[in-house]
Amino acid sequence: MTVQFSLGSTAPESTATPVAVVGVYENGILTSAAARIDTAAGGLIKRLVEAGDVTGKIGNVVTLLHPAGVTAARVLVVGLGAQKTFDSARYQRVTLEAARAIGRLPVTEAASWLPEVDVPGRDAAWKLRVAALATDHVAYRYTATVKPRDAKAQPDLAAITFAGPADAEGGLGQARAIAAGVRFARELGNLPPNICNPNYIAEQARAFADSHEGVSFEALGRADMEREGFGSLLAVARGSANEPRLVILQWNGGKDGERPYAFVGKGITFDTGGISLKPGAGMEEMKFDMGGAAGVLGAFVAAVEMKLPVNLVCVVPAVENMPDGDAYRPGDVLTSLAGITIEVLNTDAEGRLILCDALTYTGKRFDPHTLIDAATLTGACVVALGKHASGLMTKDESLSAELLAAGEETLDRAWRLPLWDDYQVQLESTFADVANIGGKYAGAITAGCFLARFTEGRRWAHLDIAGTAWDEGRKGLATGRPVPLLAQWLLDRVAG
Ligand code: BES
Ligand code: MN
Ligand code: ZN
């Protein structure tokens, strides 16, 4: 369950709560909430600044227990860094730090005045939404397959009140919907590949449709896709004992007959590389290779929770990439649903092979107004942009601007890479219309160029989320990106 968010407008010094959260900048500059607590408590915070306990630096968090003159049982004094350079990204960082500090306390409720701080260019609704999403992000626990390790672990935060004006309540409403979508995506991502297989993804989508009015669900199986001619997708699926699925969710919140927006997400539930087998070290991380699927499903969940007045379709090719006696191999030539033949030069470049058929199908069947895919497509994208930005590729200038803006707005940022036809020569093949890899240079772009061949004439963009869909390492969790970006993009379409 997501954390319960509510809006409050009481004074920080006289609010009954297990913990009141206030901010302090560097050099002892108190926010107005901190100043009120300080005054009520007879200068306690200023004395802590003098003593050097409260530094105002990012990451400096001091807990005051039962300060005299203050109603709250605790006050959490959170460092905001230098006031002069305070900005949107820092605000998000601070709300994350505050949520972590709350998580270490034995409380299930809290009240925060952080949304009252000034953030250049941002309004109250934005500040509330970011604080709420940061809090829910930190409060999320993966428990599906693991026992709580520490019997004395602190209880989970259940509810938090944020200070803000009543007319900004909408920010919390959006946060509730987006948090639900983010949680949906993170849970699918974190589940192990022996549970979260193609059919499991389909069943989760079905369960969502069954519990939400106005959502329709379909899933194609192997026989359906054979009939339709998904020759590229089915080749990838051949090595796996898990049957592939093409999951389709529809939400018709818009006008009848209005062209839908369409999301397509890469749903490789495990990527061994196939016959072009990946090295063993770190291979378990390839359970996250369905991050694109999780991301578009999560954005769909958020859109439905907000009951957005748009027509939206979400298409997820869900496939496992395994080596096997019957697996597809390097050298194979596949005939895609579009009729374009593909020479397989590496079975580990499988994402584009399932996406091309899903994109063709989505384009033909739904004729979408705009088509956006998300995929953990290339290690090259991680080399280029690291873990902070998703790679954005599109030939459409206005769509590029829309998606970059949605990323900035949510701090779920993307950065554009070129999709110039100059790169297309790298995909030329002697034996087929196109090869599935483009050599050692510009691997993220040549993957995008491959997909571009299947979306010609459409308003289409590709998000490579290989670096952003999960946090690296043994303890890394799915992030839920790019749910915030995609949900915001839809919100912006509605706002006009
Ligand atoms: N799922 C991987 C991409 C990936 C790698 C995502 C590492 C996140 C971290 C994809 O299917 C893949 O294996 N891509 C290959 C493409 C290559 C064979 C052209 C890659 O990036 O190495
Ligand atoms: Mn691969
Ligand atoms: Zn992959």
PDB file of all heavy atoms in Angstrom, residues 266 268 271 278 286 289 321 348-351 376-377, ligand 3:
ATOM      1  N   LYS A 266       9.252  -2.986 -23.531  1.00  0.00           N
ATOM      2  CA  LYS A 266      10.020  -4.234 -23.648  1.00  0.00           C
ATOM      3  C   LYS A 266       9.821  -5.086 -22.404  1.00  0.00           C
ATOM      4  O   LYS A 266      10.176  -4.675 -21.296  1.00  0.00           O
ATOM      5  CB  LYS A 266      11.511  -3.915 -23.835  1.00  0.00           C
ATOM      6  CG  LYS A 266      12.431  -5.151 -23.761  1.00  0.00           C
ATOM      7  CD  LYS A 266      13.905  -4.794 -23.986  1.00  0.00           C
ATOM      8  CE  LYS A 266      14.827  -5.989 -23.743  1.00  0.00           C
ATOM      9  NZ  LYS A 266      16.264  -5.658 -23.900  1.00  0.00           N
ATOM     10  N   ILE A 268      11.155  -8.352 -21.638  1.00  0.00           N
ATOM     11  CA  ILE A 268      11.998  -9.556 -21.555  1.00  0.00           C
ATOM     12  C   ILE A 268      12.096  -9.919 -20.070  1.00  0.00           C
ATOM     13  O   ILE A 268      12.748  -9.218 -19.287  1.00  0.00           O
ATOM     14  CB  ILE A 268      13.392  -9.316 -22.176  1.00  0.00           C
ATOM     15  CG1 ILE A 268      13.285  -9.096 -23.697  1.00  0.00           C
ATOM     16  CG2 ILE A 268      14.333 -10.501 -21.875  1.00  0.00           C
ATOM     17  CD1 ILE A 268      12.914 -10.343 -24.516  1.00  0.00           C
ATOM     18  N   ASP A 271      16.818 -12.074 -19.520  1.00  0.00           N
ATOM     19  CA  ASP A 271      17.664 -12.010 -20.715  1.00  0.00           C
ATOM     20  C   ASP A 271      18.996 -12.693 -20.446  1.00  0.00           C
ATOM     21  O   ASP A 271      19.913 -12.103 -19.882  1.00  0.00           O
ATOM     22  CB  ASP A 271      17.883 -10.540 -21.111  1.00  0.00           C
ATOM     23  CG  ASP A 271      18.711 -10.403 -22.391  1.00  0.00           C
ATOM     24  OD1 ASP A 271      18.921 -11.431 -23.077  1.00  0.00           O
ATOM     25  OD2 ASP A 271      19.131  -9.264 -22.693  1.00  0.00           O
ATOM     26  N   LYS A 278      25.241 -14.279 -22.297  1.00  0.00           N
ATOM     27  CA  LYS A 278      25.894 -13.232 -21.514  1.00  0.00           C
ATOM     28  C   LYS A 278      26.877 -13.863 -20.533  1.00  0.00           C
ATOM     29  O   LYS A 278      26.703 -15.020 -20.141  1.00  0.00           O
ATOM     30  CB  LYS A 278      24.842 -12.463 -20.709  1.00  0.00           C
ATOM     31  CG  LYS A 278      23.986 -11.508 -21.516  1.00  0.00           C
ATOM     32  CD  LYS A 278      23.050 -10.732 -20.611  1.00  0.00           C
ATOM     33  CE  LYS A 278      22.168  -9.786 -21.402  1.00  0.00           C
ATOM     34  NZ  LYS A 278      22.889  -8.708 -22.077  1.00  0.00           N
ATOM     35  N   MET A 286      19.484  -9.179 -15.137  1.00  0.00           N
ATOM     36  CA  MET A 286      18.670  -9.200 -16.356  1.00  0.00           C
ATOM     37  C   MET A 286      17.220  -9.627 -16.097  1.00  0.00           C
ATOM     38  O   MET A 286      16.411  -9.728 -17.010  1.00  0.00           O
ATOM     39  CB  MET A 286      19.336 -10.053 -17.434  1.00  0.00           C
ATOM     40  CG  MET A 286      20.485  -9.320 -18.109  1.00  0.00           C
ATOM     41  SD  MET A 286      19.933  -7.810 -18.956  1.00  0.00           S
ATOM     42  CE  MET A 286      20.831  -6.539 -18.073  1.00  0.00           C
ATOM     43  N   ASP A 289      14.995  -6.819 -17.139  1.00  0.00           N
ATOM     44  CA  ASP A 289      14.905  -6.503 -18.566  1.00  0.00           C
ATOM     45  C   ASP A 289      13.454  -6.344 -19.045  1.00  0.00           C
ATOM     46  O   ASP A 289      13.216  -6.103 -20.220  1.00  0.00           O
ATOM     47  CB  ASP A 289      15.655  -7.567 -19.386  1.00  0.00           C
ATOM     48  CG  ASP A 289      16.247  -7.015 -20.673  1.00  0.00           C
ATOM     49  OD1 ASP A 289      16.389  -5.789 -20.778  1.00  0.00           O
ATOM     50  OD2 ASP A 289      16.571  -7.833 -21.561  1.00  0.00           O
ATOM     51  N   ASN A 321      14.260 -14.709 -22.953  1.00  0.00           N
ATOM     52  CA  ASN A 321      15.334 -14.984 -23.920  1.00  0.00           C
ATOM     53  C   ASN A 321      16.289 -16.035 -23.351  1.00  0.00           C
ATOM     54  O   ASN A 321      17.119 -15.727 -22.499  1.00  0.00           O
ATOM     55  CB  ASN A 321      16.085 -13.689 -24.236  1.00  0.00           C
ATOM     56  CG  ASN A 321      17.122 -13.860 -25.340  1.00  0.00           C
ATOM     57  OD1 ASN A 321      17.029 -14.773 -26.167  1.00  0.00           O
ATOM     58  ND2 ASN A 321      18.114 -12.969 -25.371  1.00  0.00           N
ATOM     59  N   ASP A 348      21.612 -11.692 -28.377  1.00  0.00           N
ATOM     60  CA  ASP A 348      21.478 -10.845 -27.189  1.00  0.00           C
ATOM     61  C   ASP A 348      20.896  -9.467 -27.549  1.00  0.00           C
ATOM     62  O   ASP A 348      20.564  -8.693 -26.661  1.00  0.00           O
ATOM     63  CB  ASP A 348      22.842 -10.696 -26.508  1.00  0.00           C
ATOM     64  CG  ASP A 348      22.733 -10.194 -25.075  1.00  0.00           C
ATOM     65  OD1 ASP A 348      21.603 -10.170 -24.540  1.00  0.00           O
ATOM     66  OD2 ASP A 348      23.774  -9.824 -24.504  1.00  0.00           O
ATOM     67  N   ALA A 349      20.790  -9.173 -28.828  1.00  0.00           N
ATOM     68  CA  ALA A 349      20.095  -7.935 -29.236  1.00  0.00           C
ATOM     69  C   ALA A 349      18.644  -8.325 -29.523  1.00  0.00           C
ATOM     70  O   ALA A 349      18.135  -8.195 -30.637  1.00  0.00           O
ATOM     71  CB  ALA A 349      20.763  -7.309 -30.452  1.00  0.00           C
ATOM     72  N   GLU A 350      17.988  -8.850 -28.469  1.00  0.00           N
ATOM     73  CA  GLU A 350      16.648  -9.431 -28.612  1.00  0.00           C
ATOM     74  C   GLU A 350      15.526  -8.435 -28.377  1.00  0.00           C
ATOM     75  O   GLU A 350      14.419  -8.614 -28.873  1.00  0.00           O
ATOM     76  CB  GLU A 350      16.498 -10.606 -27.627  1.00  0.00           C
ATOM     77  CG  GLU A 350      16.089 -10.236 -26.193  1.00  0.00           C
ATOM     78  CD  GLU A 350      17.079  -9.346 -25.453  1.00  0.00           C
ATOM     79  OE1 GLU A 350      18.248  -9.326 -25.863  1.00  0.00           O
ATOM     80  OE2 GLU A 350      16.685  -8.661 -24.489  1.00  0.00           O
ATOM     81  N   GLY A 351      15.834  -7.380 -27.616  1.00  0.00           N
ATOM     82  CA  GLY A 351      14.775  -6.424 -27.264  1.00  0.00           C
ATOM     83  C   GLY A 351      14.146  -5.826 -28.509  1.00  0.00           C
ATOM     84  O   GLY A 351      12.923  -5.762 -28.659  1.00  0.00           O
ATOM     85  N   THR A 376      14.689  -1.350 -21.732  1.00  0.00           N
ATOM     86  CA  THR A 376      16.060  -1.495 -21.243  1.00  0.00           C
ATOM     87  C   THR A 376      16.858  -2.085 -22.403  1.00  0.00           C
ATOM     88  O   THR A 376      17.189  -3.261 -22.416  1.00  0.00           O
ATOM     89  CB  THR A 376      16.085  -2.451 -20.038  1.00  0.00           C
ATOM     90  OG1 THR A 376      15.380  -3.663 -20.411  1.00  0.00           O
ATOM     91  CG2 THR A 376      15.398  -1.848 -18.816  1.00  0.00           C
ATOM     92  N   LEU A 377      17.147  -1.227 -23.398  1.00  0.00           N
ATOM     93  CA  LEU A 377      17.544  -1.776 -24.688  1.00  0.00           C
ATOM     94  C   LEU A 377      19.030  -2.011 -24.852  1.00  0.00           C
ATOM     95  O   LEU A 377      19.429  -3.015 -25.442  1.00  0.00           O
ATOM     96  CB  LEU A 377      17.015  -0.877 -25.820  1.00  0.00           C
ATOM     97  CG  LEU A 377      16.819  -1.607 -27.156  1.00  0.00           C
ATOM     98  CD1 LEU A 377      15.845  -2.768 -27.016  1.00  0.00           C
ATOM     99  CD2 LEU A 377      16.332  -0.653 -28.236  1.00  0.00           C
TER     100      LEU A 377
HETATM  101 ZN    ZN B   3      17.621  -7.431 -23.208  1.00  0.00          ZN
END
